[in-house]
Structures are given as structure tokens and as C-alpha cells.
Amino acid sequence: MSITPQQRTALIGWLIALSCFLSLLTVVTPLPTLVPAACGWSAVLACWPQLGRTAKQQTLCLLFCGLAMLGTALLKGTSINIVTLLSRNIPLVTMLGAVSFLSLANPIEQKSTLPRGRKGILSTMLTCHLLGAVINLSIVFVVGDRLMRSGKLTKAQVQLAMRSFSTAAFWSPFFVATGVAMTYAPGAEWQKTMLPGLLLTLPMFLLTYRDAYKLAGDDFEGYPLTFESLIMPMFLAIFVLIGHWLAPGIGILYIISLLAPIGALAFMKVRPRGKQAVQFVNQRLANTSSQYALFLVAGVFSTGIEALIKTFPQTLSFDITAFTPELFMLLSGVMSLLCLIGIHPVVSIASVSPFLAPLHVEPTQLAFMYLFVWGLANGCSPLSGIGLAMVSRYQAGSTEIIKLHWKYLVAMWLVAGGLNWVWFG
């Protein structure tokens, strides 16, 4: 029986929501992780006809490569844990689905006069960074739709929005980047990555402020930041810290996954809340399906690499004994360049992490590198989520985006390398 696109969208949304709910139940009940995993993989099958060409290509490539590596390992006698294989990234996609609800708490469009010049630059940077740290990409649409003229944003506005939003990944626990970093750097503590991540945002603000003013000067038209719009991010951050303090045995991903929908309902401006939440699941939660599929398949790919390393430990081992500052620079640079040409950060992270495991790298340092690559590359690439939004929604040119960011990318890479050397040694 065929179903309409609207029915398929609703089905995907409810499968993702059910998977998230069941995943949270596994923390407090004996429910096996295979149950939410089954719902998650069912969501991937349901969303397949609606995925874009690029998403399908990346997902299929990862899946086939992962299965090929797993098959080779099995033929050589290496055991594979099926539960781990199917549910490896379930906590990660649970967080992805849960934080998506925060877009329900988008700020109401301001009617005040738009700030200009230096004040406009600063208020727009803080809005995209601080609100984006919680409600993610939707804040860019709130800001962009208010600022665009004739369907376009200026070069300075594109540059500023991409950088200030994406670098919230350096420290924000509500960014899915944190979930990826905690998943692929087992033992890392989010609190310990937060301070170096925040320090890394300082050069971003300085460089972006300078570049935006150089491009637009006092003609820059910005978005007004209000104290009211900051209340929800502050409350959520406080409750995450309290939750982690009260229940240190529960992973930070699960705490965020529980608090995000609650926070969204509490701070939602539109009424009735229940009706809006159901409508969100029916119509908008499926928008995460391309990332959802990619993250689940990335778990298969990474498990395949690990199995292959176990099978051929001598062949696939490198003559490296420590995670030196030079290795940090090399890996972060290569990973950033791969992301720049369209390789999703989770793919490069899933590829690199199994090879770094034997080095016994300090997990927090590893997580810091992953967060840095995610935040930097996504903010500079025309093929990232925000980059594609700028191209398709606000008519920015792909080549123009590269030109706007390449010097910034190099500067931030050098700064991150120095910070890594000073902070982690």
C-alpha cells in the first residue's frame, strides 16, 4: 500500500520520536538497546525515498564500506557484537532528535529598529552564537529571514552568520557535535572541553567582527538581541549542570535528550503546547532524517574499521606512539579540508577515531579536536548544513563562501593548534 509524502513524513517523525523515548527508557529500565535501535533503523528505511541524492550517496558509501570491512573481519574469525553494531550511535541520534524540539522555542520576530554598524555586528554575532548554541540552525533562519533584502543577505551577513553560529559547536552541549565527540572519544567529559572551547570562540569573535566591519562598515544591518531571548539558553544550561551533578552516572547525552524537549515545551511561545508538539513530530522532525541516517550508518562504518584493525593489527598499525601537537595539527587540518569539500564531519571523525584508540589519547583532548573540526569546517564550507542554507535560501555563491572564509579557516587552525599545545601539552 502506497502512502502520501505527508504520511511518510509523519511516520518518520514518530519513529524518530519513539526511538528517542525508548532510548531514554533504557537508562532507567532493563529495556534492551536493540529496541530503540530497531525503531531508529526503521526510521532510516522509511525516510530513504525522501533523502536527497548527496545524502543517499554518503550513506550508501559508508554502509557498503562498513559491511565490507565487517565481512572481511568475520571471514578471518574476528567476532562482531551485533548489539554494538546496530546501537552504537543510538545515544547520539537520540540527542539529535531531542534537541530538534528546541526549535519550537524560537524567539518571536522582533518589531524594533534593526541595529547598524558596530552595534549591529555585535548583536547579530551574539544572537547567532548564544541562541544557536541551544536552538541550533533554526536561529539562522530567524535572523536571516529578518535581515535579507530582495531574497539575499550581504557578504558580511553571510560570513558573520556562518561563523558565529557554527563555532557554538566548540562548547555547547546542545550541539550534536558534542554528542559525536562524546561518542567517539569515550571517557571525555563535556565540562572539561567547555572552557578551551569557549577560549577558542574569542579569536572567532575578534576576526569575524573585524572582517564584517571591513566589508560593510557602518552600513551593516544587524539583528537585535534582547535579554528575554537569552532566558531559555541560560535556564537550560543551568539545568544540564544540575542534572549532571545530581546524576553523574547518567551520560550527558541522555541528560540533554531529556531536558531539551521539556525546555522546548516550557519556553514555547505558541499555544496550545501539546498541539504544536504533535504538529512538529508530524511535519518537521523528519527534517533531521538525513543526519539521522548518516549518524547510524557511521556507527556501522566505525565498527567495521575497528574490526579490521583487530583482524590485521600489524598491517593497520602506525608507527605513532603519542598524540603530539604536530599530529593534532595534521589530523585537524586534513579533517577540516575534507569537511570543506562536502565530507560530513561525523564521517571523518568515525574514520579517524579507531586509529587513535591504541594511542590512549586523553579523551578530553580528542573530543576538543573533534569539536574544533566540526565548528570550524561547518562554518566555512558551502556544502555544510548552514552553507547549503546560505546558498539555497539566501542566494550566496559557493565560491563566494570559500573566498570569505579561507583566511579565517587558516588563522583558526593555527590558533587551535597553539591552544591544544598550551592546554593539553
Side-chain angles (χ1 to χ4, degrees):
M1 183 180 69
S2 61
I3 60 176
T4 66
Q6 292 79 13
Q7 290 173 327
R8 184 180 296 277
T9 297
L11 173 63
I12 298 165
W14 284 107
L15 284 172
I16 292 175
L18 182 60
S19 177
C20 293
F21 175 72
L22 294 174
S23 179
L24 290 172
L25 279 185
T26 62
V27 180
V28 293
T29 70
L31 185 71
T33 54
L34 275 178
V35 178
C39 288
W41 285 101
S42 297
V44 173
L45 292 175
C47 76
W48 190 257
Q50 292 186 352
L51 289 185
R53 180 181 176 185
T54 302
K56 284 183 177 179
Q57 288 175 343
Q58 288 201 37
T59 302
L60 283 175
C61 182
L62 283 181
L63 182 61
F64 287 148
C65 289
L67 291 176
M69 289 185 286
L70 288 167
T72 302
L74 283 171
L75 289 174
K76 293 294 182 178
T78 303
S79 61
I80 306 295
N81 188 319
I82 298 299
V83 175
T84 301
L85 175 66
L86 295 176
S87 60
R88 174 164 190 162
N89 281 354
I90 285 297
L92 174 58
V93 295
T94 297
M95 178 183 170
L96 172 67
V99 298
S100 300
F101 281 87
L102 288 168
S103 63
L104 288 169
N106 276 342
I108 296 175
E109 184 175 336
Q110 304 290 324
K111 300 300 181 183
S112 56
T113 304
L114 296 178
R116 303 182 73 88
R118 297 181 186 276
K119 183 180 178 181
I121 292 171
L122 185 60
S123 67
T124 308
M125 279 199 298
L126 290 173
T127 298
C128 290
H129 189 78
L130 296 177
L131 300 190
V134 175
I135 64 176
N136 286 277
L137 189 59
S138 59
I139 190 59
V140 175
F141 298 139
V142 172
V143 172
D145 288 355
R146 178 79 193 279
L147 298 182
M148 68 178 176
R149 295 289 180 267
S150 302
K152 295 186 67 174
L153 292 177
T154 66
K155 290 182 181 180
Q157 289 168 339
V158 168
Q159 182 188 72
L160 185 147
M162 290 185 70
R163 294 182 189 178
S164 52
F165 163 73
S166 298
T167 48
F170 292 165
W171 61 272
S172 172
F174 294 98
F175 245 74
V176 74
T178 297
V180 174
M182 299 302 110
T183 300
Y184 287 96
E189 297 180 50
W190 162 73
Q191 309 96 301
K192 293 183 179 179
T193 63
M194 187 175 184
L195 187 52
L198 283 169
L199 289 175
L200 201 54
T201 63
L202 296 179
M204 181 279 295
F205 275 108
L206 293 173
L207 290 170
T208 303
Y209 184 92
R210 182 204 66 180
D211 292 346
Y213 192 76
K214 185 178 178 180
L215 280 171
D218 291 328
D219 292 329
F220 184 93
E221 195 171 57
Y223 188 90
L225 177 67
T226 63
F227 176 76
E228 182 186 1
S229 65
L230 295 176
I231 293 176
M232 183 189 71
M234 289 190 296
F235 268 92
L236 283 175
I238 290 169
F239 278 108
V240 166
L241 291 173
I242 292 173
H244 188 66
W245 177 67
L246 292 175
I250 298 178
I252 190 70
L253 271 64
Y254 285 114
I255 293 173
I256 294 167
S257 299
L258 175 63
L259 290 176
I262 296 174
L265 290 171
F267 288 95
M268 190 187 301
K269 304 292 191 301
V270 184
R271 302 290 190 274
R273 290 185 175 93
K275 182 179 179 181
Q276 292 299 318
V278 170
Q279 188 176 13
F280 176 82
V281 175
N282 281 329
Q283 299 177 5
R284 293 166 54 194
L285 189 55
N287 293 342
T288 65
S289 57
S290 59
Q291 279 188 302
Y292 198 93
L294 188 63
F295 289 178
L296 277 183
V297 172
V300 175
F301 179 72
S302 186
T303 304
I305 294 177
E306 288 180 353
L308 214 58
I309 292 173
K310 281 184 186 177
T311 307
F312 305 103
Q314 300 302 321
T315 306
L316 295 177
S317 62
F318 296 98
D319 189 21
I320 299 172
T321 57
F323 191 61
T324 62
E326 293 79 10
L327 185 57
F328 176 95
M329 294 292 288
L330 175 64
L331 288 176
S332 62
V334 171
M335 293 167 71
S336 296
L337 290 175
L338 288 175
C339 296
L340 204 62
I341 61 173
I343 304 299
H344 197 284
V346 75
V347 178
S348 58
I349 292 170
S351 302
V352 164
S353 61
F355 293 101
L356 295 178
L359 299 182
H360 303 292
V361 184
E362 163 61 35
T364 303
Q365 183 182 17
L366 199 56
F368 171 75
M369 182 179 74
Y370 294 156
L371 292 171
F372 162 67
V373 169
W374 189 294
L376 179 69
N378 272 344
C380 298
S381 173
L383 298 174
S384 66
I386 187 171
L388 291 171
M390 290 296 158
V391 172
S392 61
R393 192 174 181 121
Y394 302 116
Q395 299 182 36
S398 298
T399 305
E400 176 184 271
I401 289 175
I402 296 290
K403 288 180 179 179
L404 285 172
H405 294 296
W406 75 268
K407 291 181 181 178
Y408 161 80
L409 185 145
V410 173
M412 288 296 293
W413 174 66
L414 292 172
V415 170
L419 181 58
N420 168 73
W421 178 66
V422 171
W423 195 270
F424 297 102

